[in-house]
Amino acid sequence: GIQVEQSPPDLILQEGANSTLRCNFSDSVNNLQWFHQNPWGQLINLFYIPSGTKQNGRLSATTVATERYSLLYISSSQTTDSGVYFCAVSLAGGTSYGKLTFGQGTILTVHP
Amino acid sequence: DTGVSQNPRHKITKRGQNVTFRCDPISEHNRLYWYRQTLGQGPEFLTYFQNEAQLEKSRLLSDRFSAERPKGSFSTLEIQRTEQGDSAMYLCASSLAMRSYEQYFGPGTRLTVT
């Protein structure tokens, strides 16, 4: 099956710093999503970004599908950004469409 | 709030007991997914339904696990003869079939098997 690798596994920042999280995947995908899992376990959709660049406030994401990676940028980090960030992908076609394969996550801790 | 809901939120059970979890998806969503997340790992796909049809099951879903979605609305996930290795967070998500890239997750049910 498809492999998803995220780096770094852990990231500690001071409030106000910027960061870049990376997601590498082993096969062609037609769905790539970034999620934030808060300390209570809730997964929140951040971006649907199978290719190209999107921005939403202090967050932006870029996926280079031909090179099989995606980047999540967090600018001017805040303590509320703390949690685990997951990249998840799915393959196109058939009955597998929509089944997400998640990476191991990046644990982000933002200190005041 | 009409998001995905899951019940119970927490369940503690003794090894060998049966447990059942419920997921209520967003009302107009016809796809429903179950995932399992163990400590320090990303969620892993278990199974999904389109309406009442179970279209795919992971190899992780042993014969002790069964999922149903009668009438294409809520879904239940039952684990029989629980083992300590079943301790995990069980997550449910839903989406429209034509927008399966927008999966909305519930808060999860945390299972602890003692």
Side-chain angles (χ1 to χ4, degrees), chain B residues 20-23 34 49 66-70 74-78:
Chain B
T20 300
F21 311 139
R22 176 175 170 132
C23 171
W34 285 99
F49 294 84
S66 62
E68 295 182 341
R69 193 182 182 199
F74 71 91
S75 176
T76 58
L77 178 67
E78 180 183 17

Side-chain angles (χ1 to χ4, degrees), chain B residues 1-105:
Chain B
D1 187 296
T2 56
V4 179
S5 63
Q6 292 187 246
N7 287 287
R9 294 292 307 279
H10 303 273
K11 179 70 177 179
I12 300 174
T13 192
K14 293 186 177 180
R15 189 173 49 189
Q17 298 295 305
N18 299 343
V19 294
T20 300
F21 311 139
R22 176 175 170 132
C23 171
D24 287 88
I26 294 172
S27 58
E28 63 268 27
H29 284 183
N30 48 6
R31 282 200 175 179
L32 187 149
Y33 309 80
W34 285 99
Y35 294 85
R36 180 174 70 185
Q37 185 178 21
T38 53
L39 202 61
Q41 304 295 314
E44 294 174 292
F45 170 80
L46 292 179
T47 188
Y48 86 93
F49 294 84
Q50 180 155 322
N51 300 314
E52 65 275 8
Q54 190 172 16
L55 294 184
E56 187 170 348
K57 294 195 296 185
S58 163
R59 286 171 294 180
L60 294 174
L61 215 63
S62 77
D63 57 5
R64 296 185 297 106
F65 288 70
S66 62
E68 295 182 341
R69 193 182 182 199
K71 302 178 183 177
S73 56
F74 71 91
S75 176
T76 58
L77 178 67
E78 180 183 17
I79 309 174
Q80 296 183 325
R81 306 181 302 280
T82 53
E83 302 173 355
Q84 287 188 321
D86 296 331
S87 296
M89 174 80 90
Y90 290 83
L91 294 163
C92 175
S94 71
S95 76
L96 292 169
M98 296 307 295
R99 297 175 68 87
S100 60
Y101 51 84
E102 284 186 322
Q103 291 184 31
Y104 294 87
F105 281 80

Side-chain angles (χ1 to χ4, degrees), chain A residues 30-31 33 35 37 40-43 45 48 86 90 94-105, chain B residues 9 31 33 35 37 40-45 48 55-56 89 91 97 100-107:
Chain A
N30 71 341
N31 178 8
Q33 293 179 257
F35 293 88
Q37 189 168 42
W40 297 271
Q42 179 74 55
L43 278 165
N45 300 52
Y48 161 67
F86 287 105
S90 67
T95 58
S96 292
Y97 192 75
K99 162 190 166 183
L100 289 173
T101 299
F102 284 77
Q104 300 278 68
Chain B
R9 294 292 307 279
R31 282 200 175 179
Y33 309 80
Y35 294 85
Q37 185 178 21
Q41 304 295 314
E44 294 174 292
F45 170 80
Y48 86 93
L55 294 184
E56 187 170 348
M89 174 80 90
L91 294 163
S100 60
Y101 51 84
E102 284 186 322
Q103 291 184 31
Y104 294 87
F105 281 80

Side-chain angles (χ1 to χ4, degrees), chain A residues 13-19 58 74-79 81 110-112:
Chain A
L13 301 174
Q14 287 296 128
E15 202 167 27
N18 302 330
S19 61
R58 296 181 297 104
I74 305 174
S75 64
S76 304
S77 57
Q78 301 176 357
T79 56
D81 294 331
V110 181
H111 291 302

